[in-house]
PDB file of all heavy atoms in Angstrom:
ATOM      1  N   TYR A  16     123.375  99.178  92.498  1.00 98.00           N
ATOM      2  CA  TYR A  16     123.862  98.547  91.438  1.00 98.00           C
ATOM      3  C   TYR A  16     122.995  97.405  90.867  1.00 98.00           C
ATOM      4  O   TYR A  16     122.716  97.220  89.662  1.00 98.00           O
ATOM      5  CB  TYR A  16     125.286  98.007  91.596  1.00 98.00           C
ATOM      6  CG  TYR A  16     125.864  97.256  90.362  1.00 98.00           C
ATOM      7  CD1 TYR A  16     126.159  98.020  89.195  1.00 98.00           C
ATOM      8  CD2 TYR A  16     125.786  96.022  90.185  1.00 98.00           C
ATOM      9  CE1 TYR A  16     126.666  97.424  88.067  1.00 98.00           C
ATOM     10  CE2 TYR A  16     126.103  95.291  89.253  1.00 98.00           C
ATOM     11  CZ  TYR A  16     126.573  96.021  87.980  1.00 98.00           C
ATOM     12  OH  TYR A  16     126.959  95.385  86.826  1.00 98.00           O
ATOM     13  N   ARG A  17     122.447  96.612  91.833  1.00 98.00           N
ATOM     14  CA  ARG A  17     121.600  95.566  91.403  1.00 98.00           C
ATOM     15  C   ARG A  17     120.430  96.109  90.673  1.00 98.00           C
ATOM     16  O   ARG A  17     120.077  95.486  89.545  1.00 98.00           O
ATOM     17  CB  ARG A  17     121.042  94.731  92.668  1.00 98.00           C
ATOM     18  CG  ARG A  17     120.400  93.436  92.305  1.00 98.00           C
ATOM     19  CD  ARG A  17     119.525  92.926  93.485  1.00 98.00           C
ATOM     20  NE  ARG A  17     118.455  93.816  93.888  1.00 98.00           N
ATOM     21  CZ  ARG A  17     117.242  93.938  93.260  1.00 98.00           C
ATOM     22  NH1 ARG A  17     117.052  93.178  92.171  1.00 98.00           N
ATOM     23  NH2 ARG A  17     116.389  94.712  93.779  1.00 98.00           N
ATOM     24  N   ARG A  18     119.905  97.075  91.001  1.00 98.00           N
ATOM     25  CA  ARG A  18     118.716  97.639  90.240  1.00 98.00           C
ATOM     26  C   ARG A  18     119.161  98.209  88.797  1.00 98.00           C
ATOM     27  O   ARG A  18     118.479  97.939  87.894  1.00 98.00           O
ATOM     28  CB  ARG A  18     118.080  98.892  91.090  1.00 98.00           C
ATOM     29  CG  ARG A  18     117.429  98.316  92.330  1.00 98.00           C
ATOM     30  CD  ARG A  18     116.758  99.252  93.258  1.00 98.00           C
ATOM     31  NE  ARG A  18     116.442  98.852  94.621  1.00 98.00           N
ATOM     32  CZ  ARG A  18     115.628  99.157  95.392  1.00 98.00           C
ATOM     33  NH1 ARG A  18     114.797 100.103  95.151  1.00 98.00           N
ATOM     34  NH2 ARG A  18     115.495  98.424  96.581  1.00 98.00           N
ATOM     35  N   MET A  19     120.361  98.809  88.936  1.00 99.00           N
ATOM     36  CA  MET A  19     120.904  99.442  87.539  1.00 99.00           C
ATOM     37  C   MET A  19     121.121  98.284  86.645  1.00 99.00           C
ATOM     38  O   MET A  19     120.869  98.364  85.435  1.00 99.00           O
ATOM     39  CB  MET A  19     122.133 100.088  87.857  1.00 99.00           C
ATOM     40  CG  MET A  19     122.002 101.501  88.359  1.00 99.00           C
ATOM     41  SD  MET A  19     123.399 102.290  89.073  1.00 99.00           S
ATOM     42  CE  MET A  19     124.450 102.415  87.659  1.00 99.00           C
ATOM     43  N   ALA A  20     121.681  97.138  87.176  1.00 99.00           N
ATOM     44  CA  ALA A  20     121.962  95.956  86.190  1.00 99.00           C
ATOM     45  C   ALA A  20     120.713  95.319  85.674  1.00 99.00           C
ATOM     46  O   ALA A  20     120.667  94.942  84.590  1.00 99.00           O
ATOM     47  CB  ALA A  20     122.771  94.952  87.023  1.00 99.00           C
ATOM     48  N   LEU A  21     119.643  95.328  86.559  1.00 99.00           N
ATOM     49  CA  LEU A  21     118.300  94.741  86.163  1.00 99.00           C
ATOM     50  C   LEU A  21     117.785  95.663  85.041  1.00 99.00           C
ATOM     51  O   LEU A  21     117.321  95.182  83.925  1.00 99.00           O
ATOM     52  CB  LEU A  21     117.477  94.831  87.240  1.00 99.00           C
ATOM     53  CG  LEU A  21     116.039  94.427  87.013  1.00 99.00           C
ATOM     54  CD1 LEU A  21     115.620  93.092  86.597  1.00 99.00           C
ATOM     55  CD2 LEU A  21     115.112  94.766  88.210  1.00 99.00           C
ATOM     56  N   LEU A  22     117.916  96.934  85.138  1.00 98.00           N
ATOM     57  CA  LEU A  22     117.339  97.949  84.131  1.00 98.00           C
ATOM     58  C   LEU A  22     118.053  97.886  82.923  1.00 98.00           C
ATOM     59  O   LEU A  22     117.404  97.734  81.784  1.00 98.00           O
ATOM     60  CB  LEU A  22     117.366  99.372  84.695  1.00 98.00           C
ATOM     61  CG  LEU A  22     116.681  99.725  86.112  1.00 98.00           C
ATOM     62  CD1 LEU A  22     116.721 101.111  86.440  1.00 98.00           C
ATOM     63  CD2 LEU A  22     115.387  99.045  86.226  1.00 98.00           C
ATOM     64  N   LYS A  23     119.371  97.791  83.000  1.00 98.00           N
ATOM     65  CA  LYS A  23     120.153  97.642  81.681  1.00 98.00           C
ATOM     66  C   LYS A  23     119.794  96.346  80.983  1.00 98.00           C
ATOM     67  O   LYS A  23     119.648  96.256  79.744  1.00 98.00           O
ATOM     68  CB  LYS A  23     121.601  97.717  82.116  1.00 98.00           C
ATOM     69  CG  LYS A  23     122.590  97.403  80.940  1.00 98.00           C
ATOM     70  CD  LYS A  23     124.023  97.592  81.374  1.00 98.00           C
ATOM     71  CE  LYS A  23     125.173  97.172  80.391  1.00 98.00           C
ATOM     72  NZ  LYS A  23     125.239  95.727  80.172  1.00 98.00           N
ATOM     73  N   ALA A  24     119.765  95.215  81.751  1.00 99.00           N
ATOM     74  CA  ALA A  24     119.552  93.899  81.210  1.00 99.00           C
ATOM     75  C   ALA A  24     118.189  93.875  80.534  1.00 99.00           C
ATOM     76  O   ALA A  24     117.900  93.360  79.509  1.00 99.00           O
ATOM     77  CB  ALA A  24     119.655  92.823  82.135  1.00 99.00           C
ATOM     78  N   ASN A  25     117.158  94.476  81.198  1.00 98.00           N
ATOM     79  CA  ASN A  25     115.871  94.551  80.729  1.00 98.00           C
ATOM     80  C   ASN A  25     115.797  95.320  79.382  1.00 98.00           C
ATOM     81  O   ASN A  25     114.914  94.945  78.558  1.00 98.00           O
ATOM     82  CB  ASN A  25     114.870  95.101  81.804  1.00 98.00           C
ATOM     83  CG  ASN A  25     113.335  95.038  81.429  1.00 98.00           C
ATOM     84  OD1 ASN A  25     112.899  93.862  81.356  1.00 98.00           O
ATOM     85  ND2 ASN A  25     112.832  96.147  81.010  1.00 98.00           N
ATOM     86  N   ASP A  26     116.382  96.438  79.389  1.00 98.00           N
ATOM     87  CA  ASP A  26     116.308  97.323  78.313  1.00 98.00           C
ATOM     88  C   ASP A  26     116.977  96.577  77.186  1.00 98.00           C
ATOM     89  O   ASP A  26     116.312  96.456  75.832  1.00 98.00           O
ATOM     90  CB  ASP A  26     117.071  98.584  78.408  1.00 98.00           C
ATOM     91  CG  ASP A  26     117.114  99.348  77.027  1.00 98.00           C
ATOM     92  OD1 ASP A  26     116.176 100.149  76.791  1.00 98.00           O
ATOM     93  OD2 ASP A  26     118.092  99.235  76.277  1.00 98.00           O
ATOM     94  N   GLU A  27     118.102  95.847  77.179  1.00 98.00           N
ATOM     95  CA  GLU A  27     118.785  95.083  76.107  1.00 98.00           C
ATOM     96  C   GLU A  27     117.847  94.100  75.657  1.00 98.00           C
ATOM     97  O   GLU A  27     117.784  93.691  74.485  1.00 98.00           O
ATOM     98  CB  GLU A  27     120.219  94.570  76.580  1.00 98.00           C
ATOM     99  CG  GLU A  27     121.170  95.804  76.774  1.00 98.00           C
ATOM    100  CD  GLU A  27     122.415  95.586  77.496  1.00 98.00           C
ATOM    101  OE1 GLU A  27     122.449  94.535  78.134  1.00 98.00           O
ATOM    102  OE2 GLU A  27     123.391  96.385  77.422  1.00 98.00           O
ATOM    103  N   ARG A  28     117.268  93.335  76.605  1.00 98.00           N
ATOM    104  CA  ARG A  28     116.410  92.190  76.149  1.00 98.00           C
ATOM    105  C   ARG A  28     115.309  92.671  75.484  1.00 98.00           C
ATOM    106  O   ARG A  28     114.803  91.983  74.519  1.00 98.00           O
ATOM    107  CB  ARG A  28     115.904  91.425  77.544  1.00 98.00           C
ATOM    108  CG  ARG A  28     115.104  90.251  77.316  1.00 98.00           C
ATOM    109  CD  ARG A  28     115.877  89.167  76.665  1.00 98.00           C
ATOM    110  NE  ARG A  28     116.909  88.581  77.335  1.00 98.00           N
ATOM    111  CZ  ARG A  28     116.690  87.365  78.086  1.00 98.00           C
ATOM    112  NH1 ARG A  28     115.704  86.645  77.913  1.00 98.00           N
ATOM    113  NH2 ARG A  28     117.776  86.950  78.768  1.00 98.00           N
ATOM    114  N   SER A  29     114.545  93.817  75.801  1.00 98.00           N
ATOM    115  CA  SER A  29     113.510  94.317  75.194  1.00 98.00           C
ATOM    116  C   SER A  29     113.704  94.585  73.738  1.00 98.00           C
ATOM    117  O   SER A  29     112.903  94.275  72.888  1.00 98.00           O
ATOM    118  CB  SER A  29     112.986  95.640  75.894  1.00 98.00           C
ATOM    119  OG  SER A  29     112.634  95.440  77.136  1.00 98.00           O
ATOM    120  N   ARG A  30     114.844  95.276  73.496  1.00 97.00           N
ATOM    121  CA  ARG A  30     115.213  95.559  72.083  1.00 97.00           C
ATOM    122  C   ARG A  30     115.534  94.314  71.289  1.00 97.00           C
ATOM    123  O   ARG A  30     115.169  94.138  70.082  1.00 97.00           O
ATOM    124  CB  ARG A  30     116.322  96.559  72.150  1.00 97.00           C
ATOM    125  CG  ARG A  30     115.867  97.948  72.563  1.00 97.00           C
ATOM    126  CD  ARG A  30     116.903  99.084  72.536  1.00 97.00           C
ATOM    127  NE  ARG A  30     118.002  98.908  73.564  1.00 97.00           N
ATOM    128  CZ  ARG A  30     119.156  98.511  73.213  1.00 97.00           C
ATOM    129  NH1 ARG A  30     119.657  98.384  72.188  1.00 97.00           N
ATOM    130  NH2 ARG A  30     120.140  98.466  74.307  1.00 97.00           N
ATOM    131  N   LYS A  31     116.055  93.377  72.052  1.00 98.00           N
ATOM    132  CA  LYS A  31     116.449  92.083  71.334  1.00 98.00           C
ATOM    133  C   LYS A  31     115.050  91.266  70.986  1.00 98.00           C
ATOM    134  O   LYS A  31     115.029  90.997  69.826  1.00 98.00           O
ATOM    135  CB  LYS A  31     117.196  91.148  72.324  1.00 98.00           C
ATOM    136  CG  LYS A  31     118.020  90.073  71.613  1.00 98.00           C
ATOM    137  CD  LYS A  31     118.912  89.461  72.546  1.00 98.00           C
ATOM    138  CE  LYS A  31     119.212  88.050  72.500  1.00 98.00           C
ATOM    139  NZ  LYS A  31     119.916  87.386  73.496  1.00 98.00           N
ATOM    140  N   VAL A  32     114.170  91.230  71.892  1.00 98.00           N
ATOM    141  CA  VAL A  32     112.910  90.585  71.679  1.00 98.00           C
ATOM    142  C   VAL A  32     112.095  91.219  70.510  1.00 98.00           C
ATOM    143  O   VAL A  32     111.495  90.611  69.638  1.00 98.00           O
ATOM    144  CB  VAL A  32     112.151  90.283  72.898  1.00 98.00           C
ATOM    145  CG1 VAL A  32     110.754  89.766  72.610  1.00 98.00           C
ATOM    146  CG2 VAL A  32     112.785  89.488  73.934  1.00 98.00           C
ATOM    147  N   ILE A  33     112.162  92.518  70.562  1.00 97.00           N
ATOM    148  CA  ILE A  33     111.398  93.249  69.551  1.00 97.00           C
ATOM    149  C   ILE A  33     111.977  93.014  68.120  1.00 97.00           C
ATOM    150  O   ILE A  33     111.302  92.798  67.195  1.00 97.00           O
ATOM    151  CB  ILE A  33     111.374  94.718  69.703  1.00 97.00           C
ATOM    152  CG1 ILE A  33     110.544  95.248  71.093  1.00 97.00           C
ATOM    153  CG2 ILE A  33     110.707  95.600  68.619  1.00 97.00           C
ATOM    154  CD1 ILE A  33     110.728  96.651  71.612  1.00 97.00           C
TER     155      ILE A  33
END
Side-chain angles (χ1 to χ4, degrees):
Y16 178 74
R17 191 193 63 75
R18 295 181 196 205
M19 286 167 56
L21 169 67
L22 307 187
K23 172 176 176 285
N25 185 73
D26 177 83
E27 288 168 348
R28 183 65 68 99
S29 302
R30 286 182 289 111
K31 198 168 149 188
V32 174
I33 294 169

